[in-house]
Amino acid sequence: MSSENRIDITQPLWDQTTFVGRFRHFAFISNPLLSLVPEKELYQAKELYFKYKEGKEPSETKLEQVVRAKQLYESAFHPDSGELQNVFGRMSFQMPGGCLVTGAMLQWYRTATAVVFWQWVNQSFNALVNYTNRNANSPLTTKQMGAAYVSATSAAMATALTFKFVIQKQAKNPILARFVPFAAVAAANWVNIPLMRQNEILLGLDVTDENGKVIGKSQLAPVKGISQVVTSRIVMCAPGMLLLPVIMERIEPKAWMQRIKWAHIGIQTSIVGLFLTFMVPTACAIFPQRCKLSIDTIKRFEKDRYDEIVKNTDGKPPEYVYFNKGL
């Protein structure tokens, strides 16, 4: 491949300082079809990715092959460890996995048993996604993972049941009961994700200068990053879980819908899938993946960490430090 046609394979293909650029990038790596790619093809893509990175790819390699290898590698392998991720925890599986679970939660919400069961299924899926996309430099112990899982599922079920019983007793509008799953999911996300990434907060994350050189650690960095991830996850599921109940409440009484009650779950799941196809890259693109934190903030709240950064930069700390916020 000629030098003028080469790309920096380690960098996104689109400008990450703009929302549109970030949306295109995440649409590129979260395409649901990528979750169907066989492992053999994924490992071949990884091999070409690193050969190209080192400038040692076969001479007949085309740019389209490089771009495809980049897409497959970044969609399936962990950015820190380089390990192949569990297919169910990848961003490319968010649409198929999310639409199945969300469709079920929105369909079966009338009984306490159904609420508890589907919140447990959803938080089990979320725990797998959070673990898959964790920071590999801050591994959790089995005990910590178990505590995070139990806490998140308990928070989801408790929130769902509380909202359900309160709404049943006080609300006259039956549509409000359909919003119980969203309230539970939103609450659980604020428990599940921070607990799954607790070591990042306890131990701090590596922070770099503008050129990517590690210059220290910060505990404020993961707090900011995790907050953004939680917000993104809630935004991701919001349209499907807030708009679909309104849609179903209006069309379910129709005669034609009453004749096909057996198809309601399929209809809801399909609509959620359409929402998620657009919302997965949208939610991921809200905040830059490469997050920044003011050095003045670290100086104010993390004096020891600031002193370490000053030492590592020969007394000339940068205005901002950077870190990967995760997904």
Side-chain angles (χ1 to χ4, degrees):
M1 183 180 296
S2 61
S3 58
E4 61 269 18
N5 291 329
R6 296 190 71 83
I7 61 172
D8 183 348
I9 199 169
T10 64
Q11 298 300 315
L13 300 176
W14 299 276
D15 182 5
Q16 296 300 285
T17 63
T18 69
F19 172 80
V20 173
R22 294 194 295 271
F23 176 86
R24 295 183 69 182
H25 169 70
F26 285 109
F28 179 67
I29 63 173
S30 66
N31 185 330
L33 295 177
L34 297 175
S35 61
L36 302 176
V37 177
E39 279 193 17
K40 180 180 179 181
E41 187 176 344
L42 293 176
Y43 278 110
Q44 288 173 344
K46 180 179 181 180
E47 183 179 5
L48 178 56
Y49 178 97
F50 281 101
K51 282 184 176 180
Y52 183 87
K53 181 181 176 182
E54 298 168 0
K56 298 178 180 178
E57 76 281 1
S59 57
E60 68 277 8
T61 303
K62 298 179 180 179
L63 181 60
E64 303 84 62
Q65 294 174 292
V66 174
V67 171
R68 177 63 174 173
K70 175 180 174 65
Q71 181 184 35
L72 293 180
Y73 176 75
E74 294 182 355
S75 73
F77 292 88
H78 196 285
D80 295 330
S81 66
E83 295 178 355
L84 182 64
Q85 296 175 314
N86 185 300
V87 64
F88 302 113
R90 300 174 197 165
M91 282 296 118
S92 59
F93 194 77
Q94 278 293 290
M95 189 284 278
C99 76
L100 290 174
V101 177
T102 304
M105 285 193 295
L106 294 176
Q107 177 67 22
W108 294 297
Y109 65 92
R110 292 180 174 85
T111 68
T113 301
V115 168
V116 168
F117 176 75
W118 286 109
Q119 286 297 327
W120 169 74
V121 172
N122 184 57
Q123 286 311 312
S124 296
F125 175 60
N126 284 345
L128 177 59
V129 173
N130 295 335
Y131 176 75
T132 301
N133 293 281
R134 72 198 184 283
N135 187 307
N137 296 320
S138 301
L140 288 176
T141 65
T142 302
K143 184 177 180 180
Q144 287 174 318
M145 285 190 288
Y149 173 73
V150 171
S151 299
T153 52
S154 299
M157 291 185 289
T159 303
L161 289 174
T162 299
F163 273 82
K164 178 176 174 56
F165 291 133
V166 168
I167 288 173
Q168 280 183 335
K169 288 183 178 181
Q170 300 182 7
K172 296 181 180 179
N173 190 341
I175 195 175
L176 293 178
R178 291 180 179 269
F179 295 132
V180 168
F182 175 73
V185 168
N189 270 325
W190 282 105
V191 177
N192 196 330
I193 297 175
L195 282 175
M196 275 293 178
R197 296 176 59 178
Q198 60 185 280
N199 276 356
E200 297 176 35
I201 300 174
L202 295 173
L203 305 176
L205 271 183
D206 286 342
V207 293
T208 71
D209 59 18
E210 193 174 52
N211 299 317
K213 179 183 177 181
V214 176
I215 57 175
K217 285 183 175 289
S218 171
Q219 290 170 283
L220 289 177
V223 170
K224 180 178 181 178
I226 290 170
S227 298
Q228 292 182 351
V229 169
V230 172
T231 302
S232 294
R233 294 285 186 85
I234 294 174
V235 169
M236 187 183 296
C237 67
M241 301 190 80
L242 294 178
L243 296 179
L244 187 54
V246 177
I247 295 172
M248 294 302 294
E249 188 70 19
R250 291 195 173 189
I251 67 174
E252 276 186 352
K254 304 292 184 182
W256 63 273
M257 279 291 283
Q258 289 300 307
R259 289 195 296 269
I260 57 169
K261 285 186 176 181
W262 54 270
H264 288 194
I265 178 62
I267 293 171
Q268 291 201 104
T269 300
S270 299
I271 297 175
V272 170
L274 291 175
F275 277 123
L276 284 176
T277 298
F278 177 76
M279 287 308 301
V280 169
T282 297
C284 290
I286 293 174
F287 304 105
Q289 185 68 25
R290 190 187 186 212
C291 195
K292 68 179 182 179
L293 183 66
S294 170
I295 194 68
D296 289 337
T297 301
I298 296 177
K299 181 179 181 180
R300 181 178 179 183
F301 297 104
E302 298 183 283
K303 189 63 170 60
D304 292 342
R305 301 289 193 185
Y306 172 77
D307 290 341
E308 179 187 359
I309 292 173
V310 171
K311 180 181 178 181
N312 292 338
T313 55
D314 297 323
K316 298 178 181 179
E319 185 179 359
Y320 292 97
V321 296
Y322 299 85
F323 60 95
N324 186 334
K325 71 175 178 61
L327 289 173

